Amino acid sequence: MTHTPAIETAALGKSFGAVRVLGDITLTVPAGGVFALLGPNGSGKTTLVRVLSTLTRPDAGTARVLGHDVVSERRALRARISLTGQYAALDELQTGTENLAMMGRLRGLGRTAARRRADELLERFDLTGAARRRVLTYSGGMRRRLDIAASLVTPPDLLFLDEPTTGLDPRSRHTMWDMVTDLTRAGVTVFLTTQYLEEADRLADRIALLDGGRVAAEGTADQLKARVSTGRLDLVLDGPAAFADALRALGDRAVHIDSEHATLGVTTTGGAAEIRALLDELDPDRTAVRAFTVRPTTLDDVFFALTGRAQEATRV
Ligand SMILES: Nc1ncnc2c1ncn2[C@@H]1O[C@H](COP(=O)(O)OP(=O)(O)OP(=O)(O)O)[C@@H](O)[C@H]1O
Ligand SMILES: [Mg+2]
């Protein structure tokens, strides 16, 4: 038995005028679980989501989603996917119930079924208390939840979530993460975009790093971290003299030099034997090194290593 991948693209591209926004995207997203498209502002995340969800036509390459070509089989595909965009698509003047019921009617449910489904979703997304209030009185987190509920009125096989947690406080963010996990347990494949490395690390089975409209790297969080291969050992020396001695001894091995805090960083696999040997070498009398810390590789390091830039958006 073969499993059709949820998404398969080959040399997919999209330009707006002379600007190439997506270039040569070749990507396979397995069915089931969470796939995260991670990238900074303007890297092309929304554009790729719009192409894959049939809202924007690609102008190069091909994309099949759930086995359907995004251009020639657009209609069949649309019936099987849902999209929650980066900006909420809700009617502010209607209540939560009315918004969901309307969506149900648009999706072909009868009046009673649409109303029943709306109540069910409001309950599930913890919005029953606000069901009869107009959306314009909702907080950002409530809107986000209602917006996602709206994309689940008829259950999709594949759900696109474009930056589902941007602008949410930590608690709402955790609620959103739990919801995504619940959806995957129910068999929905989730394709989400995010600027947050932590979010991709937490939620995603696989991650693609998008940079300037190109996939800079793709794999599991662990695979991506392994490409950077090492963590860093930071040594705090006991004063300027000890710092100068250690710096001399390390030579090129020092990858981080901070004289103000008498701290030196060297790459390490984090193994105890390796760290012990290094401490013995630099500090045979056990007086020069005051403290040390080992930083495991983070997706930040991966992003930096693969794009040559720090990913500012992680510091939230
Ligand atoms: N309809 C359009 N016409 C012209 N340029 C566009 C259009 N849509 C997107 N772009 C450009 O394409 C690039 C990628 O935009 P996109 O919205 O896909 O990025 P993003 O990764 O979703 O960014 P963000 O994190 O800010 O949401 C940007 O430079 C943007 O200005
Ligand atoms: Mg976007």
Side-chain angles (χ1 to χ4, degrees):
M1 191 177 135
T2 57
H3 288 277
T4 311
I7 298 170
E8 237 179 337
T9 74
L12 195 67
K14 176 72 191 175
S15 300
F16 291 109
V19 184
R20 191 123 188 92
V21 173
L22 294 177
D24 228 9
I25 306 258
T26 297
L27 203 59
T28 302
V29 175
V34 179
F35 190 96
L37 187 66
L38 178 65
N41 286 139
S43 54
K45 301 181 297 295
T46 296
T47 306
L48 182 55
V49 163
R50 289 182 57 87
V51 168
L52 295 175
S53 58
T54 77
L55 297 175
T56 299
R57 272 175 188 250
D59 50 31
T62 56
R64 297 187 83 78
V65 176
L66 302 172
H68 303 287
D69 185 273
V70 294
V71 179
S72 62
E73 297 168 67
R74 191 162 73 237
R75 193 178 285 272
L77 175 56
R78 281 189 181 172
R80 299 183 57 196
I81 58 174
S82 275
L83 163 67
T84 302
Q86 187 167 0
Y87 306 101
L90 298 163
D91 185 338
E92 299 267 309
L93 296 178
Q94 294 203 69
T95 66
T97 306
E98 285 163 356
N99 264 283
L100 295 185
M102 179 183 68
M103 198 59 70
R105 296 303 302 271
L106 288 174
R107 287 268 178 172
L109 299 182
R111 185 184 298 276
T112 315
R115 181 58 199 248
R116 194 180 314 123
R117 183 66 182 150
D119 290 344
E120 240 171 65
L121 285 165
L122 288 162
E123 172 84 37
R124 174 151 152 224
F125 285 84
D126 207 14
L127 288 168
T128 303
R132 289 164 193 281
R133 267 168 43 200
R134 287 178 175 201
V135 169
L136 57 84
T137 68
Y138 283 23
S139 73
M142 292 163 78
R143 277 163 206 250
R144 215 76 193 105
R145 297 209 299 276
L146 185 64
D147 203 26
I148 292 183
S151 62
L152 297 174
V153 163
T154 50
D157 294 319
L158 173 62
L159 175 64
F160 291 98
L161 297 173
D162 194 6
E163 300 201 23
T165 67
T166 298
L168 295 190
D169 64 28
R171 193 168 147 258
S172 306
R173 177 167 295 174
H174 278 93
T175 311
M176 191 66 72
W177 290 347
D178 290 345
M179 223 172 57
V180 168
T181 306
D182 285 349
L183 285 172
T184 59
R185 289 210 185 99
V188 180
T189 303
V190 177
F191 184 100
L192 63 84
T193 74
T194 181
Q195 302 182 33
Y196 306 122
L197 297 153
E198 186 204 357
E199 181 160 285
D201 204 359
R202 278 278 289 258
L203 276 184
D205 301 294
R206 298 186 73 80
I207 299 167
L209 228 66
L210 199 64
D211 184 43
R214 288 175 182 275
V215 177
E218 197 270 328
T220 64
D222 284 344
Q223 281 168 349
L224 293 180
K225 288 177 193 171
R227 285 182 62 167
V228 179
S229 77
T230 48
R232 199 173 85 196
L233 170 67
D234 281 348
L235 303 163
V236 183
L237 283 308
D238 194 34
F243 176 78
D245 287 346
L247 182 56
R248 202 171 313 116
L250 283 174
D252 285 349
R253 287 180 291 166
V255 293
H256 171 75
I257 300 171
D258 177 359
S259 58
E260 192 185 332
H261 300 100
T263 300
L264 290 172
V266 289
T267 54
T268 176
T269 58
E274 186 193 334
I275 290 170
R276 191 174 287 137
L278 192 78
L279 289 171
D280 283 343
E281 177 200 336
L282 291 178
D283 189 14
D285 302 332
R286 304 192 176 185
T287 53
V289 176
R290 190 190 300 161
F292 69 85
T293 49
V294 178
R295 294 183 337 131
T297 309
T298 63
L299 281 176
D300 269 314
D301 300 326
V302 176
F303 196 90
F304 184 73
L306 294 172
T307 68
R309 290 196 312 278
Q311 159 62 297
E312 295 297 335
T314 58
R315 280 169 275 284
V316 286

